[in-house]
Amino acid sequence: MFFLTTGQASEMLSRTGFLSEGESLFEQTSAAPGARVSFAEHHTPQVVAAALAEAMRDSTFVIAIVTSTGMHPDAEDLNLYYAFRRSFQDHRSLLEAPAHMFEAEDFYHLRSFLFMAAAFRWDALVFTSEEPTPFEIGRDHSLRFQHEQSAVAKKFASSLTGSPGSARMH
């Protein structure tokens, strides 16, 4: 697992074909979502994190960029987050290096990060090698995918509910 600045994340995403020359990392959030999955009503952040990590298990890499924090300060535990971060010998702030890169062997670290993002009600933009476009984790306890046929959305819904297609996707 690596922590990246937005510049480093942009460079990595350009090399992997997610960003075009001169395209901003944050232009990726402008498309209207094709599928939205709400998860707060019936599922804890632990269950959501496990299901989402499982949905991305086959990815060779995942880059998650925290785009908004502090909207629900009573839900945040920044001491927990920074202890997690320090365990990787990184002492920078979330503002300095908001991107988190996970490789295939980082499954449990990814799951831990996803738990914190869901529990702390952060917004994050997630790029995975399995998808042609990123998806968003929302502070409103939802996932927003840019296209309805998202493989990660389908795997997430199946993993979350135990049966294909039974999570609320709209």
Side-chain angles (χ1 to χ4, degrees), residues 1-158:
M1 181 180 158
F2 302 97
F3 299 92
L4 307 170
T5 65
T6 52
Q8 291 168 323
S10 292
E11 183 179 311
M12 169 81 178
L13 291 167
S14 292
R15 282 196 309 249
T16 56
F18 278 100
L19 298 178
S20 304
E21 182 70 33
E23 184 178 18
S24 166
L25 180 63
F26 300 106
E27 287 176 28
Q28 292 291 322
T29 61
S30 61
R36 183 176 176 273
V37 181
S38 298
F39 55 78
E41 294 174 17
H42 305 289
H43 305 288
T44 66
Q46 293 94 334
V47 170
V48 169
L52 188 52
E54 189 61 41
M56 295 186 288
R57 187 183 276 277
D58 295 332
S59 297
T60 55
F61 72 88
V62 173
I63 295 178
I65 302 149
V66 176
T67 57
S68 181
T69 64
M71 300 304 290
H72 299 278
D74 55 320
E76 288 183 324
D77 185 350
L78 291 176
N79 288 325
L80 177 63
Y81 172 76
Y82 283 116
F84 173 76
R85 193 169 184 132
R86 283 190 305 273
S87 74
F88 293 94
Q89 313 310 314
D90 192 295
H91 300 278
R92 294 175 293 175
S93 74
L94 188 55
L95 287 174
E96 287 177 271
H100 305 71
M101 185 178 139
F102 304 90
E103 296 175 312
E105 63 271 8
D106 296 324
F107 174 78
Y108 292 102
H109 303 308
L110 173 62
R111 195 165 95 179
S112 295
F113 169 80
L114 293 169
F115 163 73
M116 287 184 279
F120 301 167
R121 299 185 71 179
W122 288 347
D123 287 340
L125 187 59
V126 181
F127 295 83
T128 172
S129 61
E130 284 193 274
E131 295 283 329
T133 58
F135 66 90
E136 296 175 76
I137 299 172
R139 63 178 161 252
D140 61 350
H141 287 129
S142 71
L143 302 176
R144 293 179 294 277
F145 297 89
Q146 291 186 12
H147 52 90
E148 291 181 21
Q149 299 305 314
S150 166
V152 172
K154 289 178 181 179
K155 289 178 186 179
F156 172 73
S158 176

